[in-house]
Structures are given as structure tokens and as C-alpha cells.
Amino acid sequence: MDIMQFAIEGYKNINAKKYIGIFGNPIKHTLSPVIHDTISRELMVDERYIPFHITDGLGKAVKMAYKDSILGLNITVPYKQDVMEHLVDIDKAAKAIGAVNTLVRVDGGYKGYNTDMPGLAKAIFSEGIDLNDSKVIMLGAGGAARAVAYMCLNYGASQVYIVNRTYNNAKKIADDMNAEFGKVVIIPMAAASYKDIPMDKYIFIQCTSVGLHEGDGLPIIDDENFYDMAEYGVDLIYNPAKTPFLELLDKKGKKTINGLKMLLYQGIMAYELWNEVSVNEELIEKVYKALCHAIYGQQQDESQSVKEDNKNNIVLIGYMGAGKTAVGEALAKSYGYEFLDTDNYIVNKEGMSINDIFATKGEEYFRDLETKVVQELKNSLKNTVISTGGGLPIREENRKYLKDLGKVVYLKASPDTTYKRVSGNTERPLLAGDNMYDKICTMLKDRMPKYENASDIIIDTDNMSVVNIAKKIHDKIN
């Protein structure tokens, strides 16, 4: 497939019956695979989601994707407007908004849709907020604000104010929306004129990037009294979970929601368009939990606040050949975790292989390194799957550190299974020489009680695939 040349690393060699994906630049940290691969896995659909890094030649890339039978695509920055000229059809709402984020395969090419707008609406409705006959104050007049304005009007808002530092940007959105809906419903407000907005109760929707970075303050208007008019506060930002805007409204006792459910529902709607299926609420909840883990490292409570919890990490322990690295990588890729292998971490720090460390400095030196590493990591990692060396849990102090680090999962394998997996491997110094099977049996007999003592969860990996082991771990933790 020619289009795979644009796939980011880690996805180039994926094999599946059907492919969907996303075009963007940058694209490395997209969370969309968490949404779509979770749905496909739960529905048992052989379909994978591929992030494509497109730096130029957008039109050519769209044609290549169609030629290579890509079922559908998401489009993210900076291509939501530019992609429109490369489509065979565009949905009415996407035309009005002036941006497309979802391409659906049709005869001759792709049709463009915008699922951001209905995704945000669904997110707002899910929190019990009714847009019909509501009054809205929008903060910001960028690309996202245009979709928000259309959504508010489309779902029956009676009045929308746009507060923005650049008057002309706000006026352009107002003029376009008024032309679309045939009535004057938006009054653009320069920042200096915000006090002209009549005192009332409003849904505040924060559409700027203010709050993404540490040290950011309030968006556009820093007069805290202005926000007394908010009945609800909606921020399109989802990471951090609480921006200064949402924190202020929380203190004022207002109901607030961030942009995570917008991300969730726009993805759900795109998947439904591509596959002509309906994703039920139970599965939507599973996807939401997977997103929470990917972004925050744990579930959000009902108010969407993030709890401090060191169990957002998953620590994999077990004997050689238990599959810790393969399972850890599968968990990370499928469920949105980072991945770290303690053996590789040590190799990189020492600048030599584990065999060389054993040969030149001895096993005890290596065990001391393991203890230092787990001490170092236990307060610094978040939302990470950690694959540990087989001997790391032998020391009692290490078992305590592992519990501090995260949820400990013991990948258990029988001597026969272990032997099949490691025979022929010359990079395991403790199994070097003759009688490998006997060494495995002896070491497992000694280590198994220590593994069990260290673990929160035990998974028997005999006769299980890597994918199924990863799914079982995820299901047990969630």
C-alpha cells in the first residue's frame, strides 16, 4: 500500500483486513487510535486505525488513500479546510462550518463531514445541558469557534455572543452564520465591550487555546466577575482536565465540562459513518475509560476532576519468556499507555548489554542497578506500562517499590511453555550452558512464590496470544 509510506513509526507493518486513519501534521501524539481500535477490538472487526504524517502533497495523499482502499479518514490540523478541495462531495453542515474532519469513502473518492460539531453537542447533552432556547457566550473566534457557533444555532440557541480580541474575526463568523440561518443571532463583541452583554444566565464555551500550557490565566477576559453570568462552563481543551477557566467556574459553583467527551463522540460518530454501525452506550463507556487512561492515567470522577492515584501504571513481572515486553508493547499501543522496559533502561544507562554487565561486573551489580532503577521510576512515571526483568522481584525491597509504582501483574507461564519460548536464545546469561530446561524448573520453583507475593493480578499466559493477554489485563484493571 503506497499510503503506508506516510504511516508513523509503529504502524507501518500492521496487517488488517480494513484500514482507517488520520491525516495531520504533527500527528505522533494523536489519541484517535485509542478510540477506533478499542471499538474494532470490542466488535471483533479486523480493522486498524493508522496515523499518517502528511507534510505536503495533501491532494496526492487523499488519492493514494482512496486507491489503496482506505475505508475512511479523520483530518486534523492543519488540513481541515484545505482537504475540502480534494473531495467529491461535502456534507451541508461541513460546508457551512467551512471545515471537514471526517472523510467517508463513496464512489469516485471521499465525502467530507464535520463530526466535531455534533460531537460537542452530544457531549453537552450528555451532561444534561440543553442548548434549545439557551443563551451562549463564546470566548474566541478561531476555527473551532465557527463550528461551535454553527452547533449552537443548529440546536436552537436563542442568542450567541462572541467575545474576541480581534473584532473582525468575530464579525466574519457572525456574518457567515447569519447568512446560513437567515436571522441575526450572533452579536460579535470586542473584548473592551463585553460589559455591554445583558446580565443573564449563559452557557460559556471556551474556544481558545488558553489553558493548554502551565502558567496560562483566564481566556480573553480576566475580570472574574464577568464569569458570574455563567450557568455552565464548557472548555474545548481536555488536557489538562481543568483549565484556569474551568477551575474558576468550579469555585463559583458552576457545572463544568472539558473537551474529552467531544473528542470521544466525534470519534464515535466517524466510526459509525465509516462502518455503518451503531456503537452502544456500554461500548462508548469502555472507549471513554480507555481515553481517560491514555490522557490522565486513571478514570475521571463524575465531575471530571482527576484524582491523584499511583495505580495508573501497569507493572509486568514474570520469568524469562513470560511475554512481558511483547504484552507491554501491545498494552501501550492498544490502550494509550507509554511503555518502558527496565532491562533496556539499564542497558541505555550503562552503555553495555546485560550479558556484558553480568560478565564484567557480576549479577549482584546488575541487581543493585535494578533496585536503583525502580526507586528512580516509582515517583516519576505516569500512565506507563513497565516491563521488568525476570529477577527484579526477587528482592523484597523491590517488591515493595513495585507496589508503589503501580498495579503489578504477574504473567505466569509453565516450565514447558517457558522452555519453548526461550530455547535458542543466547542473550539470557542465567540460562547459558547445558540443561536449560532443568535450570528453568529450578528457578521457577524458587521465584514463583516471590512473583505471586509481589502481584496484584495473576494472568496464566499458557496458550494465550499476546493480544488476548493484553486485553485480559486491561479488562481486569478496568
Side-chain angles (χ1 to χ4, degrees):
M1 289 173 53
D2 292 338
I3 194 64
M4 291 301 287
Q5 66 183 280
F6 299 109
I8 67 173
E9 291 304 321
Y11 289 86
K12 291 184 183 296
N13 298 315
I14 285 175
N15 291 313
K17 194 171 184 179
K18 295 187 290 184
Y19 297 90
I20 47 183
I22 184 169
F23 283 3
N25 180 22
I27 201 62
K28 181 179 178 182
H29 298 294
T30 177
L31 290 160
S32 292
V34 178
I35 299 173
H36 299 286
D37 286 344
T38 299
I39 301 172
S40 293
R41 184 172 54 253
E42 292 294 330
L43 295 180
M44 292 186 288
V45 175
D46 188 8
E47 181 174 283
R48 288 300 302 271
Y49 190 94
I50 312 293
F52 296 104
H53 183 211
I54 309 298
T55 57
D56 54 28
L58 176 63
K60 182 180 178 181
V62 170
K63 289 179 181 177
M64 290 171 67
Y66 188 79
K67 175 179 173 290
D68 289 339
S69 301
I70 301 296
L71 181 63
L73 289 163
N74 285 134
I75 305 295
T76 189
V77 291
Y79 301 123
K80 289 187 178 185
Q81 289 81 38
D82 293 346
V83 77
M84 297 173 76
E85 65 183 273
H86 304 293
L87 307 178
V88 297
D89 193 12
I90 300 174
D91 176 69
K92 178 185 174 184
K95 282 182 182 177
I97 293 168
V100 161
N101 78 321
T102 300
L103 308 190
V104 177
R105 189 179 183 86
V106 296
D107 289 341
Y110 291 105
K111 180 176 180 178
Y113 292 83
N114 190 303
T115 64
D116 286 333
M117 182 270 295
L120 177 58
K122 182 70 180 291
I124 289 173
F125 299 154
S126 74
E127 297 296 324
I129 303 172
D130 189 359
L131 283 167
N132 190 44
D133 288 329
S134 65
K135 295 182 179 180
V136 177
I137 292 176
M138 290 171 44
L139 302 171
R146 178 174 295 273
V148 171
Y150 184 94
M151 176 207 68
C152 292
L153 299 172
N154 193 55
Y155 287 95
S158 63
Q159 188 76 65
V160 177
Y161 293 87
I162 302 177
V163 178
N164 194 58
R165 290 193 177 93
T166 305
Y167 179 87
N168 287 339
N169 291 352
K171 186 176 186 305
K172 179 69 168 70
I173 295 176
D175 290 346
D176 290 348
M177 292 301 110
N178 287 334
E180 173 67 23
F181 287 90
K183 55 183 178 179
V184 178
V185 289
I186 299 181
I187 302 175
M189 303 293 297
S193 305
Y194 73 89
K195 292 182 180 179
D196 294 339
I197 299 175
M199 286 295 298
D200 209 334
K201 290 297 181 184
Y202 296 88
I203 299 172
F204 274 55
I205 304 180
Q206 206 290 100
C207 307
T208 77
S209 61
V210 177
L212 275 173
H213 308 292
E214 188 174 350
D216 282 354
L218 292 171
I220 299 180
I221 306 299
D222 57 11
D223 179 359
E224 294 191 2
N225 294 326
F226 170 65
Y227 299 94
D228 288 336
M229 293 192 293
E231 186 173 14
Y232 305 105
V234 180
D235 202 319
L236 303 191
I237 294 170
Y238 56 80
N239 191 19
K242 291 292 183 183
T243 60
F245 166 73
L246 293 181
E247 287 177 347
L248 174 62
L249 267 61
D250 277 342
K251 285 194 295 185
K252 291 179 177 290
K254 316 296 185 179
K255 185 169 186 176
T256 61
I257 62 172
N258 66 23
L260 183 60
K261 284 193 174 180
M262 175 184 173
L263 175 69
L264 168 73
Y265 285 117
Q266 65 79 27
I268 297 290
M269 291 172 181
Y271 192 94
E272 291 176 332
L273 283 170
W274 295 328
N275 292 279
E276 298 181 338
V277 298
S278 179
V279 180
N280 63 40
E281 290 300 321
E282 182 180 357
L283 180 48
I284 290 173
E285 184 62 25
K286 284 187 178 181
V287 177
Y288 182 61
K289 288 180 179 179
L291 276 176
C292 287
H293 271 293
I295 302 168
Y296 310 124
Q298 67 282 310
Q299 308 307 315
Q300 291 178 296
D301 62 19
E302 291 180 356
S303 66
Q304 296 196 347
S305 63
V306 177
K307 299 175 184 177
E308 291 297 324
D309 185 357
N310 65 357
K311 296 296 185 183
N312 51 326
N313 297 321
I314 300 175
V315 183
L316 302 180
I317 66 172
Y319 190 64
M320 306 174 209
K324 300 184 294 292
T325 299
V327 171
E329 289 176 341
L331 266 171
K333 185 172 291 185
S334 295
Y335 300 100
Y337 292 90
E338 298 296 323
F339 176 74
L340 183 143
D341 184 299
T342 59
D343 282 350
N344 288 342
Y345 189 89
I346 289 171
V347 167
N348 290 333
K349 289 193 73 169
E350 290 292 297
M352 64 176 71
S353 70
I354 292 175
N355 272 345
D356 288 340
I357 295 172
F358 268 69
T360 60
K361 299 185 178 182
E363 182 179 355
E364 193 64 18
Y365 177 83
F366 179 78
R367 299 302 173 204
D368 288 339
L369 286 177
E370 286 184 316
T371 299
K372 290 177 182 177
V373 165
V374 77
Q375 283 180 301
E376 179 180 328
L377 296 177
K378 72 185 182 72
N379 293 319
S380 62
L381 290 184
K382 179 180 179 181
N383 195 39
T384 301
V385 181
I386 303 103
S387 169
T388 64
L392 195 149
I394 295 173
R395 289 185 176 181
E396 184 176 355
E397 62 184 313
N398 289 356
R399 297 199 289 273
K400 179 182 181 302
Y401 296 144
L402 291 177
K403 292 277 191 180
D404 293 338
L405 183 55
K407 186 76 73 174
V408 182
V409 180
Y410 170 28
L411 301 184
K412 187 175 182 180
S414 68
D416 289 344
T417 297
T418 302
Y419 180 73
K420 288 178 184 177
R421 292 173 177 171
V422 303
S423 59
N425 190 321
T426 60
E427 297 182 359
R428 301 181 185 274
L430 294 180
L431 296 181
D434 299 327
N435 303 317
M436 179 183 285
Y437 182 82
D438 292 340
K439 290 178 181 177
I440 289 171
C441 291
T442 300
M443 292 176 71
L444 271 178
K445 184 177 180 180
D446 175 66
R447 291 186 178 185
M448 193 176 296
K450 298 180 175 70
Y451 292 147
E452 291 176 348
N453 175 261
S455 64
D456 298 301
I457 296 170
I458 299 175
I459 304 289
D460 191 336
T461 66
D462 288 352
N463 303 314
M464 285 186 69
S465 70
V466 167
V467 171
N468 287 339
I469 296 168
K471 185 178 186 305
K472 191 169 185 178
I473 292 170
H474 180 262
D475 289 347
K476 280 185 173 291
I477 288 177
N478 291 282

